[in-house]
Structure formats: C-alpha cells, structure tokens
C-alpha cells in the first residue's frame, strides 16, 4: 500500500496561547447585540401590527360609508328617472287630451 504524501514525523503546532476568556467575552457581546436587535425588531413589529389594525378599521369604516353613499346615489337616480317618466307620461296625456281624444280612447291605446 502506498504511503500518503507528507511526513508523519511533522511536528504539529498546538496553539496554546488561546485566551478563552476573551473569546467567551467576545461571543457573549455578539450574542447580546443580536438579542437587542431582535428585541428592537419585535417592538417595531408590534407597533406596526397595531398601526395595521387601526388602518384596517379605518378602511372598513370608509368602505361602509362608500357603500351607503352609492346606495343613496342609486336610489336618487332611480327616483329621478321615475319622476322623468311620470312627467313624460303626463305630457303625452295632456297632448292626447288636447288633440281631442277621450279618456277611454287613451286607455284603449295604452293597453
């Protein structure tokens, strides 16, 4: 079997000068920073949720008001159209009566 490249007798350097207390302090500071960012974002999210809820309520109220206004407009237009038809019918009736037709003849014509 072939031997792998490199010497087995190579000395390995062990980094014994690692300051674990500094590494732990650094990681702890990093963790606290992330926790504070998460807390800030959570607070912002809660604030935005309350704003969204208020805006949705306002939108719902505005939609109701719009529907009421549209219904009133449609009713007013229908009433105006009915009045116009009634006025036209009265005008036609007056013309027919003025031309000498009797009420019976007019009724017969309408039917």
């Amino acid at each position: 079997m072939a031997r792998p490249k490199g010497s087995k007798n190579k000395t390995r350097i062990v980094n014994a000068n690692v300051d674990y207390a500094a590494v732990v302090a650094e990681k702890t500071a990093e963790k606290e920073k992330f926790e504070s960012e998460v807390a800030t974002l959570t607070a912002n999210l809660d604030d935005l949720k309350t704003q969204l809820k208020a805006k949705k309520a306002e939108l719902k109220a505005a939609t109701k008001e719009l529907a009421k206004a549209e219904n009133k407009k449609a009713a007013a237009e229908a009433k105006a159209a009915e009045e116009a038809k009634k006025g036209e019918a009265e005008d036609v009736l007056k013309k027919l009566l003025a031309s000498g037709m009797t009420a019976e003849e007019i009724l017969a014509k309408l039917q």
Side-chain angles (χ1 to χ4, degrees):
M1 184 172 205
R3 294 184 76 186
K5 286 188 175 183
S7 173
K8 288 185 175 181
N9 298 327
K10 182 178 177 184
T11 58
R12 294 191 179 143
I13 300 173
V14 177
N15 196 357
N17 296 336
V18 175
D19 185 11
Y20 290 109
V23 171
V24 168
E26 178 184 332
K27 297 296 180 183
T28 304
E30 186 177 337
K31 178 187 169 206
E32 289 174 355
K33 182 181 104 176
F34 287 134
E35 285 176 346
S36 67
E37 288 177 358
V38 167
T40 304
L41 290 174
T42 303
N44 288 342
L45 185 62
D46 291 340
D47 184 40
L48 290 174
K49 282 182 182 179
T50 56
Q51 287 179 7
L52 178 64
K53 189 174 183 179
K55 293 296 180 183
K56 281 186 178 181
E58 290 175 8
L59 176 63
K60 188 175 181 180
T63 303
K64 278 186 175 180
E65 290 176 10
L66 177 63
K68 285 180 184 178
E70 287 175 346
N71 289 340
K72 286 182 180 179
K73 178 185 172 191
E77 287 177 350
K79 187 175 181 181
E82 187 178 316
E83 290 292 326
K85 284 183 182 179
K86 188 177 180 181
E88 286 179 24
E90 288 178 0
D91 289 343
V92 169
L93 183 62
K94 286 180 184 177
K95 285 182 186 176
L96 290 175
L97 287 174
S99 67
M101 284 185 126
T102 63
E104 292 85 25
E105 291 174 342
I106 295 171
L107 286 174
K109 219 176 202 188
L110 290 174
Q111 292 176 354

